[in-house]
Amino acid sequence: MSGCLFCKIAAGEIPSEEAYADEEVYGFHDISPQAPVHVLLIPRKHIASMNDASEADGALLGKLLLAARKVAAKLGIAEGGYRLVNNCGEDGGQTVHHLHVHLLGGRGLAWPPG
Ligand code: AMP
Ligand code: ZN
């Protein structure tokens, strides 16, 4: 979608630090990391938020989670553990309206989140 920051990042029009790439999913390091490892996994297809995902997107959503698992292993946090987060909408704290999964790890993470 034109004008979407993460569509531009997935297309390579805006630079990012790549952590994962395949035909359908792109992963990159968050510009403002909240943990030693903070990677964002996005579908290359524009989906604004979880509210906008359809049944037909089911396999793609699964691929996002599996990509996160691969990045966690590659970056050495699989054994220690990590957190996957999707912020949806205003109460969820979503600031970029292209669906993404945060992969956070490399330190103990508090629960409940803020
Ligand atoms: P959310 O608040 O869940 O919508 O997450 C958006 C995330 O995108 C935040 O953690 C931001 O730090 C991150 N972010 C925003 N712009 C960029 C960028 N150009 N490159 C990498 N991460 C970004
Ligand atoms: Zn987009």
Side-chain angles (χ1 to χ4, degrees), residues 1 4-8 43-47 97-99:
M1 197 183 94
C4 171
L5 174 64
F6 283 1
C7 280
K8 287 181 181 166
R44 292 189 185 275
K45 171 188 171 183
H46 181 84
I47 302 171
H97 297 281
H98 178 127
L99 189 152

Side-chain angles (χ1 to χ4, degrees), residues 5-6 28-32 40 87 93-96 100 102:
L5 174 64
F6 283 1
F28 54 103
H29 294 270
D30 197 292
I31 204 166
S32 176
L40 302 174
N87 295 327
Q94 184 177 6
T95 60
V96 177
H100 50 281
H102 297 255

Side-chain angles (χ1 to χ4, degrees), residues 9-111:
I9 285 178
E13 293 165 14
I14 288 177
S16 64
E17 194 186 335
E18 182 177 311
Y20 181 87
D22 68 26
E23 276 184 11
E24 292 175 278
V25 175
Y26 184 65
F28 54 103
H29 294 270
D30 197 292
I31 204 166
S32 176
Q34 302 300 310
V37 172
H38 188 173
V39 168
L40 302 174
L41 288 310
I42 65 173
R44 292 189 185 275
K45 171 188 171 183
H46 181 84
I47 302 171
S49 78
M50 266 310 295
N51 282 339
D52 301 287
S54 70
E55 290 294 324
D57 295 317
L60 181 56
L61 295 175
K63 286 176 184 175
L64 282 182
L65 299 183
L66 292 170
R69 187 200 68 184
K70 290 173 196 165
V71 174
K74 188 171 78 172
L75 299 183
I77 59 167
E79 203 169 313
Y82 51 86
R83 184 171 296 165
L84 302 179
V85 174
N86 170 252
N87 295 327
C88 180
E90 197 177 339
D91 281 357
Q94 184 177 6
T95 60
V96 177
H97 297 281
H98 178 127
L99 189 152
H100 50 281
V101 172
H102 297 255
L103 166 65
L104 295 152
R107 66 170 170 83
L109 298 164
W111 191 264

